[in-house]
Coordinates of all heavy atoms in Angstrom, one line a residue:
V1 N 1.3 -51.5 14.4 CA 0.4 -52.3 15.3 C -0.8 -52.8 14.5 O -1.2 -53.9 14.7 CB -0.1 -51.4 16.5 CG1 -1.2 -52.0 17.3 CG2 1.1 -51.0 17.4
S2 N -1.3 -51.9 13.6 CA -2.5 -52.4 12.9 C -2.3 -53.5 12.0 O -3.3 -54.2 11.5 CB -3.1 -51.2 12.1 OG -2.3 -50.6 11.2
G3 N -1.0 -53.8 11.6 CA -0.7 -54.9 10.8 C -0.6 -56.2 11.6 O -0.4 -57.3 10.9
D4 N -0.6 -56.1 12.9 CA -0.5 -57.4 13.7 C -1.7 -58.2 13.6 O -2.8 -57.7 13.6 CB -0.2 -57.0 15.1 CG 0.2 -58.1 16.0 OD1 -0.6 -59.1 16.2 OD2 1.3 -58.2 16.4
A5 N -1.6 -59.5 13.4 CA -2.7 -60.4 13.3 C -3.7 -60.3 14.5 O -4.9 -60.7 14.4 CB -2.2 -61.8 13.1
E6 N -3.2 -59.9 15.7 CA -4.0 -59.9 16.9 C -4.6 -58.6 17.1 O -5.4 -58.4 18.1 CB -3.2 -60.3 18.1 CG -2.9 -61.8 18.1 CD -2.6 -62.2 19.6 OE1 -3.4 -62.0 20.5 OE2 -1.5 -62.7 19.8
Y7 N -4.4 -57.6 16.2 CA -4.9 -56.2 16.4 C -6.4 -56.2 16.1 O -6.8 -56.7 15.0 CB -4.1 -55.2 15.6 CG -4.7 -53.9 15.7 CD1 -4.6 -53.1 16.7 CD2 -5.5 -53.3 14.6 CE1 -5.2 -51.8 16.8 CE2 -6.1 -52.1 14.6 CZ -5.9 -51.3 15.7 OH -6.5 -50.0 15.8
D8 N -7.2 -55.6 16.8 CA -8.6 -55.4 16.6 C -9.0 -54.0 17.1 O -8.8 -53.8 18.3 CB -9.5 -56.5 17.2 CG -11.0 -56.3 17.0 OD1 -11.4 -55.2 16.5 OD2 -11.8 -57.3 17.3
P9 N -9.4 -53.0 16.3 CA -9.6 -51.7 16.8 C -10.7 -51.7 17.8 O -10.8 -50.7 18.6 CB -10.0 -50.9 15.5 CG -10.3 -51.9 14.5 CD -9.5 -53.2 14.9
A10 N -11.5 -52.7 17.9 CA -12.6 -52.8 18.9 C -12.0 -53.0 20.3 O -12.7 -52.9 21.3 CB -13.6 -53.8 18.5
L11 N -10.8 -53.4 20.3 CA -10.1 -53.6 21.6 C -9.1 -52.6 22.0 O -8.1 -52.8 22.8 CB -9.3 -55.0 21.5 CG -10.2 -56.2 21.4 CD1 -9.5 -57.5 21.2 CD2 -11.1 -56.4 22.6
V12 N -9.4 -51.4 21.5 CA -8.7 -50.1 21.9 C -9.7 -49.3 22.6 O -10.7 -48.9 22.1 CB -8.1 -49.4 20.7 CG1 -7.3 -48.2 21.2 CG2 -7.1 -50.3 20.0
F13 N -9.5 -49.1 24.0 CA -10.4 -48.3 24.8 C -9.8 -47.1 25.3 O -8.6 -47.0 25.7 CB -10.7 -49.2 26.0 CG -11.3 -50.5 25.6 CD1 -10.5 -51.7 25.6 CD2 -12.6 -50.7 25.2 CE1 -10.9 -52.9 25.2 CE2 -13.1 -52.0 24.8 CZ -12.3 -53.1 24.8
L14 N -10.5 -45.9 25.1 CA -10.0 -44.7 25.5 C -10.8 -44.0 26.6 O -12.1 -44.2 26.6 CB -10.0 -43.7 24.4 CG -9.1 -44.0 23.2 CD1 -9.4 -43.0 22.0 CD2 -7.7 -43.9 23.6
A15 N -10.2 -43.2 27.5 CA -10.9 -42.4 28.4 C -10.6 -41.0 27.9 O -9.4 -40.7 27.8 CB -10.5 -42.7 29.9
V16 N -11.6 -40.1 27.8 CA -11.3 -38.8 27.3 C -11.8 -37.8 28.4 O -12.7 -38.0 29.2 CB -12.0 -38.5 26.0 CG1 -11.4 -39.4 24.9 CG2 -13.5 -38.7 26.1
D17 N -11.1 -36.6 28.4 CA -11.6 -35.6 29.3 C -12.7 -34.8 28.8 O -13.2 -35.1 27.7 CB -10.4 -34.7 29.7 CG -9.8 -34.0 28.6 OD1 -10.4 -33.8 27.5 OD2 -8.7 -33.3 28.8
A18 N -13.1 -33.8 29.5 CA -14.2 -32.9 29.1 C -14.0 -32.2 27.7 O -14.9 -31.8 27.1 CB -14.6 -31.9 30.2
K19 N -12.7 -32.0 27.4 CA -12.4 -31.4 26.1 C -12.2 -32.4 24.9 O -11.8 -32.0 23.9 CB -11.1 -30.5 26.3 CG -11.3 -29.3 27.2 CD -10.1 -28.5 27.3 CE -10.3 -27.4 28.3 NZ -9.0 -26.5 28.4
G20 N -12.4 -33.6 25.2 CA -12.4 -34.6 24.2 C -10.9 -35.2 24.0 O -10.7 -35.9 23.1
R21 N -10.1 -34.9 24.8 CA -8.6 -35.3 24.7 C -8.5 -36.6 25.4 O -9.0 -36.9 26.5 CB -7.6 -34.3 25.4 CG -7.7 -33.0 24.7 CD -6.8 -32.0 25.5 NE -7.3 -31.8 26.9 CZ -7.0 -30.8 27.6 NH1 -6.2 -29.8 27.2 NH2 -7.7 -30.7 28.8
A22 N -7.8 -37.5 24.8 CA -7.5 -38.8 25.4 C -6.6 -38.7 26.6 O -5.6 -38.0 26.5 CB -6.8 -39.8 24.3
V23 N -7.0 -39.2 27.7 CA -6.2 -39.1 28.9 C -5.8 -40.5 29.4 O -4.9 -40.6 30.3 CB -6.9 -38.3 30.1 CG1 -7.0 -36.8 29.6 CG2 -8.2 -38.9 30.4
A24 N -6.4 -41.6 28.9 CA -6.0 -42.9 29.3 C -6.4 -43.8 28.1 O -7.3 -43.6 27.4 CB -6.7 -43.3 30.6
V25 N -5.6 -44.9 28.0 CA -5.8 -45.9 26.9 C -5.5 -47.3 27.4 O -4.6 -47.5 28.1 CB -5.0 -45.5 25.6 CG1 -3.6 -45.6 25.9 CG2 -5.4 -46.4 24.4
A26 N -6.3 -48.2 26.9 CA -5.9 -49.6 27.0 C -6.1 -50.2 25.6 O -7.0 -50.1 24.9 CB -7.0 -50.3 27.9
Q27 N -4.9 -50.8 25.2 CA -4.9 -51.5 23.9 C -4.6 -53.0 24.2 O -3.7 -53.4 24.9 CB -3.8 -50.9 23.0 CG -3.8 -51.7 21.7 CD -2.8 -51.1 20.7 OE1 -2.2 -50.1 20.9 NE2 -2.5 -51.8 19.7
C28 N -5.5 -53.9 23.5 CA -5.4 -55.3 23.8 C -5.3 -56.0 22.5 O -5.7 -55.6 21.4 CB -6.7 -55.7 24.6 SG -7.0 -54.7 26.0
W29 N -4.9 -57.3 22.7 CA -4.8 -58.2 21.5 C -5.9 -59.2 21.7 O -6.5 -59.4 22.7 CB -3.5 -59.0 21.6 CG -2.2 -58.3 21.3 CD1 -0.9 -58.6 21.7 CD2 -1.9 -57.2 20.3 NE1 0.0 -57.8 21.2 CE2 -0.6 -56.9 20.4 CE3 -2.8 -56.4 19.5 CZ2 0.0 -55.9 19.6 CZ3 -2.2 -55.4 18.8 CH2 -0.8 -55.1 18.8
T30 N -6.3 -59.7 20.5 CA -7.5 -60.7 20.5 C -7.3 -61.9 21.3 O -8.3 -62.5 21.7 CB -7.8 -61.1 19.1 OG1 -6.6 -61.7 18.5 CG2 -8.2 -59.9 18.2
S31 N -6.1 -62.2 21.7 CA -5.8 -63.5 22.5 C -6.1 -63.2 24.0 O -5.9 -64.1 24.8 CB -4.3 -63.8 22.3 OG -3.4 -62.8 22.8
G32 N -6.6 -62.1 24.4 CA -6.9 -61.7 25.8 C -5.7 -61.1 26.5 O -5.5 -61.2 27.7
F33 N -4.8 -60.4 25.7 CA -3.6 -59.8 26.3 C -3.7 -58.3 26.2 O -4.1 -57.8 25.3 CB -2.3 -60.2 25.5 CG -1.1 -59.8 26.0 CD1 -0.5 -60.5 27.1 CD2 -0.4 -58.7 25.5 CE1 0.7 -60.0 27.6 CE2 0.8 -58.2 26.0 CZ 1.3 -58.9 27.1
V34 N -3.4 -57.7 27.5 CA -3.5 -56.3 27.5 C -2.0 -55.8 27.1 O -1.1 -56.0 27.8 CB -3.8 -55.8 28.9 CG1 -3.7 -54.2 29.0 CG2 -5.1 -56.3 29.4
K35 N -2.0 -55.3 25.9 CA -0.7 -54.9 25.4 C -0.2 -53.6 26.0 O 1.0 -53.5 26.5 CB -0.7 -54.6 23.8 CG 0.6 -54.2 23.3 CD 0.4 -53.9 21.8 CE 1.7 -53.4 21.1 NZ 2.3 -52.2 21.8
D36 N -1.0 -52.6 26.2 CA -0.7 -51.3 26.8 C -1.9 -50.8 27.7 O -3.0 -50.9 27.3 CB -0.4 -50.3 25.7 CG 0.8 -50.6 24.8 OD1 1.9 -50.7 25.4 OD2 0.6 -50.8 23.6
L37 N -1.5 -50.3 28.8 CA -2.4 -49.6 29.7 C -1.7 -48.3 30.2 O -0.6 -48.4 30.8 CB -2.9 -50.3 30.9 CG -3.9 -49.6 31.9 CD1 -5.2 -49.3 31.2 CD2 -4.1 -50.4 33.1
A38 N -2.2 -47.1 29.7 CA -1.4 -45.9 30.2 C -2.4 -44.9 30.5 O -3.5 -44.7 29.9 CB -0.6 -45.4 28.9
T39 N -2.0 -44.0 31.5 CA -2.8 -42.9 31.9 C -1.9 -41.6 31.9 O -0.8 -41.7 32.5 CB -3.4 -43.0 33.3 OG1 -4.3 -44.2 33.3 CG2 -4.3 -41.9 33.7
A40 N -2.3 -40.5 31.3 CA -1.5 -39.3 31.3 C -1.3 -38.8 32.7 O -2.2 -39.0 33.6 CB -2.2 -38.2 30.5
G41 N -0.1 -38.3 33.0 CA 0.2 -37.8 34.3 C -0.9 -37.1 35.2 O -1.2 -37.5 36.3
P42 N -1.4 -36.1 34.6 CA -2.4 -35.2 35.3 C -3.7 -36.0 35.6 O -4.4 -35.6 36.5 CB -2.6 -34.1 34.4 CG -1.5 -33.9 33.5 CD -1.0 -35.4 33.3
A43 N -4.0 -37.0 34.9 CA -5.2 -37.8 35.1 C -5.0 -39.0 36.0 O -6.0 -39.7 36.3 CB -5.7 -38.3 33.7
R44 N -3.8 -39.3 36.5 CA -3.6 -40.4 37.3 C -4.2 -40.2 38.7 O -4.5 -39.2 39.1 CB -2.1 -40.6 37.5 CG -1.4 -41.1 36.2 CD 0.0 -41.5 36.4 NE 0.6 -41.8 35.0 CZ 1.8 -41.7 34.7 NH1 2.6 -41.1 35.6 NH2 2.2 -42.0 33.5
G45 N -4.6 -41.4 39.3 CA -5.2 -41.3 40.6 C -6.7 -41.1 40.6 O -7.3 -40.8 41.6
Q46 N -7.3 -41.0 39.4 CA -8.8 -40.8 39.3 C -9.6 -42.1 39.0 O -10.8 -42.0 38.7 CB -9.0 -39.7 38.2 CG -8.4 -38.4 38.5 CD -8.5 -37.4 37.3 OE1 -9.5 -37.5 36.5 NE2 -7.7 -36.5 37.2
G47 N -8.9 -43.2 39.0 CA -9.6 -44.4 38.7 C -9.8 -44.8 37.3 O -10.5 -45.7 37.0
L48 N -9.1 -44.1 36.4 CA -9.3 -44.3 34.9 C -8.7 -45.7 34.5 O -9.3 -46.4 33.7 CB -8.7 -43.2 34.1 CG -9.3 -41.8 34.3 CD1 -8.5 -40.8 33.5 CD2 -10.7 -41.9 33.9
G49 N -7.6 -46.0 35.1 CA -7.0 -47.4 34.8 C -7.8 -48.5 35.2 O -8.1 -49.4 34.4
E50 N -8.4 -48.3 36.3 CA -9.3 -49.4 36.9 C -10.6 -49.4 36.0 O -11.0 -50.6 35.6 CB -9.7 -49.1 38.3 CG -10.7 -50.1 38.9 CD -10.9 -50.0 40.4 OE1 -10.2 -49.2 41.0 OE2 -11.8 -50.7 40.9
A51 N -11.1 -48.4 35.6 CA -12.3 -48.3 34.7 C -12.0 -49.0 33.4 O -12.8 -49.7 32.9 CB -12.8 -46.9 34.6
L52 N -10.8 -48.6 32.8 CA -10.4 -49.3 31.6 C -10.3 -50.8 31.7 O -10.7 -51.5 30.9 CB -9.3 -48.6 31.0 CG -9.5 -47.2 30.4 CD1 -8.1 -46.6 30.0 CD2 -10.3 -47.3 29.2
M53 N -9.6 -51.2 32.8 CA -9.4 -52.7 32.9 C -10.8 -53.3 33.2 O -10.9 -54.5 32.6 CB -8.5 -52.9 34.2 CG -7.0 -52.6 33.9 SD -6.3 -53.5 32.5 CE -6.4 -55.1 33.2
L54 N -11.7 -52.8 33.8 CA -13.0 -53.4 34.0 C -13.7 -53.5 32.6 O -14.3 -54.5 32.4 CB -13.9 -52.6 35.0 CG -13.4 -52.7 36.4 CD1 -14.2 -51.8 37.4 CD2 -13.3 -54.2 37.0
T55 N -13.5 -52.5 31.8 CA -14.0 -52.5 30.4 C -13.4 -53.6 29.6 O -14.0 -54.4 28.9 CB -13.8 -51.1 29.8 OG1 -14.5 -50.2 30.5 CG2 -14.3 -51.1 28.3
V56 N -12.1 -53.8 29.8 CA -11.3 -54.8 29.1 C -11.8 -56.1 29.5 O -12.1 -57.1 28.7 CB -9.8 -54.7 29.4 CG1 -9.0 -56.0 29.0 CG2 -9.2 -53.5 28.7
F57 N -12.0 -56.4 30.9 CA -12.5 -57.7 31.4 C -13.8 -58.0 30.8 O -14.1 -59.1 30.3 CB -12.6 -57.6 32.9 CG -11.4 -57.5 33.7 CD1 -11.3 -57.1 34.9 CD2 -10.1 -57.9 33.1 CE1 -10.2 -57.0 35.7 CE2 -9.0 -57.8 33.8 CZ -9.0 -57.3 35.1
A58 N -14.7 -57.0 30.7 CA -16.0 -57.2 30.1 C -16.0 -57.5 28.6 O -16.7 -58.4 28.2 CB -16.9 -56.0 30.4
A59 N -15.2 -56.8 27.9 CA -14.9 -57.1 26.4 C -14.4 -58.5 26.2 O -15.0 -59.2 25.3 CB -14.0 -56.1 25.9
F60 N -13.5 -59.0 27.0 CA -13.0 -60.4 26.8 C -13.9 -61.4 27.2 O -14.1 -62.4 26.6 CB -11.6 -60.5 27.5 CG -10.5 -59.8 26.7 CD1 -9.5 -59.1 27.4 CD2 -10.4 -60.0 25.3 CE1 -8.5 -58.6 26.7 CE2 -9.4 -59.4 24.6 CZ -8.3 -58.7 25.4
K61 N -14.7 -61.1 28.3 CA -15.7 -62.0 28.7 C -16.8 -62.2 27.6 O -17.2 -63.3 27.3 CB -16.4 -61.5 30.0 CG -17.4 -62.6 30.5 CD -17.9 -62.1 31.9 CE -19.0 -63.1 32.4 NZ -19.6 -62.6 33.7
A62 N -17.2 -61.1 27.0 CA -18.2 -61.1 25.9 C -17.6 -61.9 24.7 O -18.4 -62.5 24.0 CB -18.5 -59.7 25.5
R63 N -16.3 -62.0 24.6 CA -15.8 -62.7 23.5 C -15.5 -64.2 23.8 O -15.0 -65.0 23.0 CB -14.4 -62.1 23.1 CG -14.6 -60.8 22.3 CD -13.2 -60.1 22.0 NE -13.4 -58.9 21.3 CZ -12.9 -58.7 20.1 NH1 -12.0 -59.5 19.5 NH2 -13.1 -57.6 19.5
G64 N -15.9 -64.5 25.0 CA -15.8 -65.9 25.5 C -14.4 -66.3 26.1 O -14.1 -67.4 26.3
L65 N -13.6 -65.4 26.4 CA -12.2 -65.6 27.0 C -12.4 -65.7 28.5 O -13.1 -65.1 29.1 CB -11.3 -64.5 26.7 CG -10.9 -64.5 25.1 CD1 -10.6 -63.1 24.7 CD2 -9.7 -65.3 25.0
A66 N -11.7 -66.8 29.0 CA -11.8 -67.0 30.4 C -10.8 -66.3 31.3 O -10.9 -66.2 32.5 CB -11.6 -68.5 30.7
H67 N -9.7 -65.7 30.7 CA -8.8 -65.0 31.5 C -8.2 -63.9 30.6 O -8.2 -63.9 29.4 CB -7.7 -65.9 32.1 CG -6.8 -66.5 31.1 ND1 -7.1 -67.6 30.3 CD2 -5.6 -66.1 30.6 CE1 -6.1 -67.9 29.5 NE2 -5.2 -67.0 29.6
V68 N -7.5 -63.0 31.3 CA -6.8 -61.8 30.8 C -5.3 -61.9 31.2 O -5.1 -62.1 32.4 CB -7.5 -60.5 31.2 CG1 -6.7 -59.3 30.6 CG2 -8.9 -60.4 30.7
D69 N -4.5 -61.7 30.3 CA -3.0 -61.7 30.6 C -2.4 -60.3 30.3 O -3.0 -59.5 29.6 CB -2.3 -62.6 29.7 CG -2.6 -64.1 30.0 OD1 -2.6 -64.4 31.2 OD2 -2.7 -64.8 29.1
L70 N -1.3 -60.0 31.0 CA -0.6 -58.8 30.8 C 0.8 -59.0 31.3 O 1.1 -59.9 32.0 CB -1.2 -57.5 31.3 CG -1.6 -57.5 32.8 CD1 -0.3 -57.2 33.7 CD2 -2.7 -56.5 33.1
K71 N 1.7 -58.1 31.0 CA 3.0 -58.1 31.5 C 3.4 -56.7 31.9 O 3.1 -55.7 31.3 CB 4.0 -58.5 30.3 CG 5.4 -58.6 30.7 CD 6.2 -59.1 29.5 CE 7.7 -59.1 29.8 NZ 8.4 -59.5 28.6
T72 N 4.0 -56.6 33.2 CA 4.4 -55.4 33.7 C 5.7 -55.5 34.6 O 6.0 -56.7 35.0 CB 3.3 -54.7 34.5 OG1 3.6 -53.3 34.7 CG2 3.0 -55.4 35.8
S73 N 6.4 -54.5 34.8 CA 7.5 -54.5 35.7 C 7.1 -54.3 37.2 O 6.5 -53.3 37.4 CB 8.5 -53.4 35.3 OG 9.5 -53.3 36.3
T74 N 7.4 -55.2 38.0 CA 7.1 -55.1 39.4 C 8.0 -54.0 40.0 O 7.6 -53.5 41.1 CB 7.3 -56.4 40.2 OG1 8.6 -56.9 40.0 CG2 6.3 -57.4 39.6
I75 N 9.1 -53.7 39.5 CA 10.0 -52.6 40.0 C 9.6 -51.3 39.5 O 9.4 -50.3 40.3 CB 11.4 -52.9 39.8 CG1 11.8 -54.3 40.4 CG2 12.3 -51.8 40.1 CD1 13.1 -54.8 39.9
Q76 N 9.5 -51.1 38.2 CA 9.2 -49.8 37.7 C 7.7 -49.4 37.6 O 7.3 -48.3 37.6 CB 9.6 -49.8 36.2 CG 11.2 -49.9 36.1 CD 11.6 -50.0 34.7 OE1 10.8 -50.2 33.8 NE2 12.9 -49.9 34.4
S77 N 6.8 -50.3 37.9 CA 5.4 -50.1 37.9 C 4.7 -50.5 39.1 O 3.6 -51.3 39.1 CB 4.8 -50.7 36.6 OG 5.4 -50.3 35.5
A78 N 5.2 -50.1 40.2 CA 4.6 -50.6 41.5 C 3.1 -50.2 41.6 O 2.3 -51.0 42.1 CB 5.3 -50.0 42.7
A79 N 2.7 -49.0 41.1 CA 1.3 -48.6 41.2 C 0.5 -49.5 40.3 O -0.7 -49.8 40.6 CB 1.2 -47.1 40.8
A80 N 1.0 -49.9 39.1 CA 0.2 -50.7 38.2 C 0.1 -52.1 38.9 O -1.1 -52.7 38.8 CB 1.0 -50.9 36.9
V81 N 1.1 -52.6 39.5 CA 1.0 -53.9 40.1 C -0.1 -53.9 41.2 O -0.9 -54.8 41.4 CB 2.3 -54.4 40.7 CG1 2.2 -55.6 41.6 CG2 3.3 -54.6 39.6
R82 N -0.2 -52.8 42.0 CA -1.2 -52.6 43.0 C -2.6 -52.7 42.3 O -3.5 -53.3 42.9 CB -1.0 -51.4 43.9 CG 0.1 -51.5 44.9 CD 0.2 -50.3 45.8 NE 0.3 -49.0 45.2 CZ 1.4 -48.4 44.8 NH1 2.5 -49.0 45.1 NH2 1.4 -47.2 44.2
L83 N -2.8 -52.0 41.3 CA -4.0 -52.0 40.6 C -4.4 -53.4 40.1 O -5.5 -53.8 40.4 CB -3.9 -51.0 39.3 CG -5.1 -51.2 38.4 CD1 -6.4 -50.7 39.0 CD2 -4.8 -50.3 37.1
Y84 N -3.5 -54.0 39.5 CA -3.8 -55.4 39.0 C -4.2 -56.3 40.1 O -5.1 -57.2 40.0 CB -2.6 -55.9 38.1 CG -2.3 -55.0 37.0 CD1 -1.0 -54.8 36.6 CD2 -3.2 -54.3 36.2 CE1 -0.6 -54.0 35.5 CE2 -2.9 -53.5 35.2 CZ -1.7 -53.3 34.8 OH -1.3 -52.5 33.7
R85 N -3.4 -56.3 41.2 CA -3.7 -57.1 42.3 C -5.1 -56.8 42.9 O -5.9 -57.7 43.3 CB -2.7 -57.0 43.4 CG -1.4 -57.7 43.0 CD -0.4 -57.8 44.0 NE 0.8 -58.5 43.6 CZ 2.0 -58.3 44.0 NH1 2.3 -57.3 44.9 NH2 3.1 -59.0 43.5
R86 N -5.4 -55.5 43.0 CA -6.7 -55.1 43.6 C -7.8 -55.6 42.7 O -8.9 -55.9 43.2 CB -6.8 -53.5 43.6 CG -7.9 -53.0 44.3 CD -7.9 -51.5 44.6 NE -7.9 -50.7 43.4 CZ -6.9 -50.0 43.0 NH1 -5.7 -49.9 43.8 NH2 -7.0 -49.3 41.9
L87 N -7.6 -55.8 41.3 CA -8.5 -56.3 40.4 C -8.6 -57.8 40.4 O -9.4 -58.4 39.6 CB -8.3 -55.7 39.1 CG -8.5 -54.2 38.8 CD1 -8.1 -53.8 37.5 CD2 -10.0 -53.8 39.1
G88 N -7.8 -58.4 41.2 CA -7.8 -59.9 41.3 C -6.8 -60.6 40.4 O -6.8 -61.8 40.4
M89 N -5.9 -59.8 39.8 CA -5.0 -60.5 38.9 C -3.7 -61.0 39.8 O -3.5 -60.4 40.8 CB -4.5 -59.5 37.8 CG -5.6 -59.0 37.0 SD -5.1 -58.0 35.6 CE -4.7 -59.2 34.4
V90 N -3.2 -62.0 39.3 CA -2.0 -62.6 40.0 C -0.9 -62.7 39.0 O -1.0 -62.9 37.8 CB -2.3 -64.0 40.6 CG1 -3.3 -63.8 41.8 CG2 -2.8 -65.0 39.6

């Protein structure tokens, strides 16, 4: 991943628990693409995905990007699709 031309470590966002363990991550490409968004099972349902996506939106806005893209499965990731729609994504 770090060898990809669109990789920028400043576009990797983590949510950590009280013990400092990563429980959610958003990794993005410089083109405004969310490559990965994942939350560990026990941490799901706490709003971490939404918080990370709002952080992603702010980061891309600060870089002058007008939109954010991503790709997900509407069948395998129904909860993710609900999150993205709630955030105004189509």
Side-chain angles (χ1 to χ4, degrees):
V1 171
S2 62
D4 192 293
E6 287 200 58
Y7 175 76
D8 180 345
L11 293 174
V12 178
F13 305 97
L14 295 174
V16 296
D17 66 12
K19 294 182 180 181
R21 297 176 297 201
V23 292
V25 62
Q27 179 178 347
C28 306
W29 291 150
T30 57
S31 61
F33 186 80
V34 179
K35 181 185 178 302
D36 296 299
L37 177 68
T39 303
R44 290 185 183 148
Q46 298 177 25
L48 297 174
E50 181 172 348
L52 285 173
M53 286 301 295
L54 293 173
T55 300
V56 166
F57 294 158
F60 283 138
K61 182 177 181 180
R63 289 175 176 237
L65 288 145
H67 68 277
V68 175
D69 290 318
L70 58 81
K71 181 178 174 182
T72 193
S73 168
T74 58
I75 296 170
Q76 296 175 343
S77 303
V81 172
R82 286 191 301 274
L83 167 65
Y84 303 141
R85 287 186 178 149
R86 189 170 64 248
L87 293 172
M89 300 184 86
V90 293

